[in-house]
Amino acid sequence: MLRLTVTIPAELTDRVTEVLADSTAVSTLSVVRGAALRPVGDVVHADVAREGANVLVDRLRDLGVHREGTLQIEPVTTWVSRRGFEADEETPGSSSDAVVWAQVAQRSYDDSELNWTFLSFMSLATLIAGIAIVLDSQILVIGAMVLGPEFGAVAALGVALVRRRPLLLAVAARALLVGFGVAIAVTALAGLAGRALGWVTIEDITGARPATDFIYAPDKWSFIVAVLAAAAGVLSLTSAKVGGLSGVFISVTTVPAAGNVALGLAFGAWDEVRGSGLQLVVNLVGMALAGWLTLALQRAVWSRVPAPRSHSRLSRRIHAEPPRHS
């Protein structure tokens, strides 16, 4: 269940409530007249079955709600309501499968914003990956994978392609290019400092590293894992189930590969730079393609689900059932 909060000028209120009241996906609807100060007008609240949200959001956008006021969409984590149960049952599709595109687009913009926090996490994750390479530590590699924030921007590339949003595509691509560029530069400088202090030697970079050699030796499995992990990650981001994200973060070697590129640059180990650079590109391309294909498939499947019915066609089956007592 989702909670829609619409803040609009009073002249739009009747049309907004008509759209919401006509949908079986809406279980409760309330209007607070004169409650809004900016814009001056009313506030409308509606509880909506998740699988019916896209149709309603599109209809509200057609009314100009996003231009004249604001539309907020929030998940309702716990609800006890017979009307809510009926709305969920009567709305075609499954709530867990439903993709609320407005939420996905907003999260994509947020995750792809190139700011101090994004660059800091990228740099810190790549620094940890560099230490993991020097120590040949799989634990630290996993820690660097989890810490890296790049997956949100990679997923945003797929959202931008599927939803045809060139601005989001540019924002996500910029975040990835600048983010990895800054992280590699910072880690390379740290590698030069470690080299000058004698803490890191060329043997640490080019010697045998059985626990972390996968970072600089890409193969067909690197691409396959990137594709599968990204598909699972996109499903977690777009559905009501988010448990798969942690598995995504520790399945792909983007940040560790960037760390090895940085150390290779610091020590002039060009074989390491080439191998890890290829690993980085293979992972990013595989993830971006998988994200795009997964989102395109979700959109194609969901487009076949009928739109929520109007109240005039509401089934009486559930109403005929006797009330349940807990």
Side-chain angles (χ1 to χ4, degrees):
M1 191 66 64
L2 298 174
R3 165 62 63 94
L4 303 187
T5 301
V6 188
T7 305
I8 44 172
E11 56 267 23
L12 283 177
T13 302
D14 289 342
R15 283 184 286 172
V16 167
T17 54
E18 182 180 355
V19 167
L20 295 173
D22 192 50
S23 172
T24 57
V26 176
S27 62
T28 62
L29 178 63
S30 58
V31 180
V32 185
R33 303 278 182 180
L37 298 179
R38 185 179 300 174
V40 176
D42 306 326
V43 178
V44 180
H45 299 286
D47 290 333
V48 181
R50 179 184 172 90
E51 55 269 38
N54 282 323
V55 173
L56 291 175
V57 170
D58 289 343
R59 290 175 180 172
L60 293 176
R61 285 176 60 89
D62 291 341
L63 293 178
V65 166
H66 61 298
R67 293 190 297 269
E68 304 297 331
T70 183
L71 169 62
Q72 297 180 6
I73 305 175
E74 299 174 307
V76 179
T77 56
T78 304
W79 50 273
V80 180
S81 169
R82 182 174 180 82
R83 290 183 178 272
F85 172 78
E86 293 170 354
D88 189 49
E89 287 292 301
E90 289 294 326
T91 305
S94 168
S95 60
S96 295
D97 294 338
V99 180
V100 183
W101 290 109
Q103 284 185 328
V104 172
Q106 182 65 56
R107 181 167 183 176
S108 296
Y109 278 109
D110 292 342
D111 290 346
S112 302
E113 184 179 358
L114 185 62
N115 49 33
W116 173 255
T117 301
F118 183 88
L119 292 176
S120 296
F121 273 109
M122 283 293 297
S123 298
L124 291 171
T126 308
L127 285 168
I128 292 175
I131 296 173
I133 291 165
V134 172
L135 299 180
D136 195 29
S137 170
Q138 287 186 336
I139 297 298
L140 290 180
V141 167
I142 293 173
M145 290 175 176
V146 174
L147 188 60
E150 77 282 2
F151 180 73
V154 174
L157 294 176
V159 176
L161 292 172
V162 170
R163 301 296 289 176
R164 298 179 182 177
R165 299 197 177 190
L167 177 59
L168 177 59
L169 183 66
V171 168
R174 177 171 174 261
L176 289 171
L177 290 174
V178 177
F180 276 111
V182 169
I184 289 173
V186 169
T187 305
L189 290 175
L192 289 172
R195 180 180 182 180
L197 292 171
W199 293 356
V200 185
T201 65
I202 186 65
E203 287 75 19
D204 294 326
I205 310 303
T206 60
R209 302 200 316 257
T212 57
D213 58 359
F214 62 91
I215 293 172
Y216 57 85
D219 55 19
K220 61 181 179 297
W221 298 112
S222 301
F223 183 79
I224 292 172
V225 169
V227 168
L228 296 176
V234 167
L235 285 174
S236 295
L237 288 173
T238 57
S239 70
K241 300 183 183 298
V242 297
L245 282 177
S246 58
V248 175
F249 298 147
I250 60 177
S251 297
V252 291
T253 55
T254 48
V255 167
N260 206 45
V261 168
L263 291 178
L265 291 172
F267 283 84
W270 305 115
D271 287 341
E272 299 291 328
V273 174
R274 282 190 291 270
S276 297
L278 181 58
Q279 179 76 279
L280 179 59
V281 171
V282 166
N283 276 272
L284 288 177
V285 170
M287 292 168 67
L289 286 175
W292 168 58
L293 290 173
T294 302
L295 288 166
L297 179 61
Q298 286 181 290
R299 185 180 66 173
V301 170
W302 198 252
S303 66
R304 296 178 179 273
V305 176
R309 292 168 289 180
S310 64
H311 279 290
S312 61
R313 298 175 58 194
L314 180 61
S315 171
R316 303 301 178 186
R317 176 178 57 84
I318 298 177
H319 292 285
E321 296 179 355
R324 298 180 180 179
H325 300 283
S326 56

